[in-house]
Amino acid sequence: FDYVNQCKVLRKVFGGCVNGCRRDWGKDIPVYEHISEEESQFGGHQCLVTEMIPTCEARHPKTERLCPCIPRGKVQVQSTLKITPAARENTNCNDVCSALSPKHRCDDTQFHYVNTCQALKAHFACTSCDVNQGKDIPNYVSKEDDANFGKCLTQRAAPTCDGSHKNTKRVCRGHSGTHTHSSVLAS
């Protein structure tokens, strides 16, 4: 789902998103909503991407899904994606990934896997989790003099690879190879 769970992909497949594209929560996402403006506080007829890990089985009667498909028995996919926590503060994910090897690079389409409290707690000693904003999020606030010390922070906006902050350690996701994706519409 990492490839199809992007606004730019949804816009291309659905011929644009009439009322825009936004992040939302739901296992039936990525989708194009077929609901009227009266039925939605966000205006309806829009594309949705998610920070959750979607499932292939989820569905909703008023959406048109975009699902990645791999032909059974024909392709074996091995993930070359690696989750790596930063060893020190003020380090962006481009640097974290390239430190693994010259072939590794951060993939900003993969942050939805680590932009969750559960994923951050697997790598850091979070005292709690909170939603915040910043180019360095998702992260762990590791400096004691910061008001958010000990918290793991997630965000609703799309994270980037290049953010860093002097008080935080990031968790990054990257890969060392190329990916082939095929997508089909499922209604």
Side-chain angles (χ1 to χ4, degrees), residues 15-109:
C17 303
V18 176
N19 286 322
C21 184
R22 66 178 174 85
R23 289 195 175 276
D24 206 341
W25 298 91
K27 292 187 177 197
D28 64 318
I29 298 172
V31 298
Y32 180 81
E33 280 189 319
H34 291 285
I35 60 176
S36 69
E37 292 180 18
E38 295 81 32
E39 293 177 279
S40 171
Q41 65 183 10
F42 301 104
H45 299 289
Q46 62 184 313
C47 296
L48 303 176
V49 294
T50 186
E51 296 172 11
M52 296 180 69
I53 298 174
T55 67
C56 291
E57 296 79 26
R59 65 189 84 228
H60 188 278
K62 293 189 175 188
T63 64
E64 193 171 354
R65 288 194 76 186
L66 186 60
C67 301
C69 297
I70 301 167
R72 293 178 189 227
K74 293 186 178 181
V75 178
Q76 182 177 3
V77 175
Q78 292 184 332
S79 176
T80 58
L81 293 167
K82 182 174 178 73
I83 297 174
T84 309
R88 62 186 193 282
E89 294 84 4
N90 208 24
T91 306
N92 68 50
C93 286
N94 290 319
D95 293 342
V96 169
C97 291
S98 64
L100 294 172
S101 83
K103 292 182 179 182
H104 275 83
R105 68 174 183 83
C106 177
D107 186 344
D108 61 6
T109 67

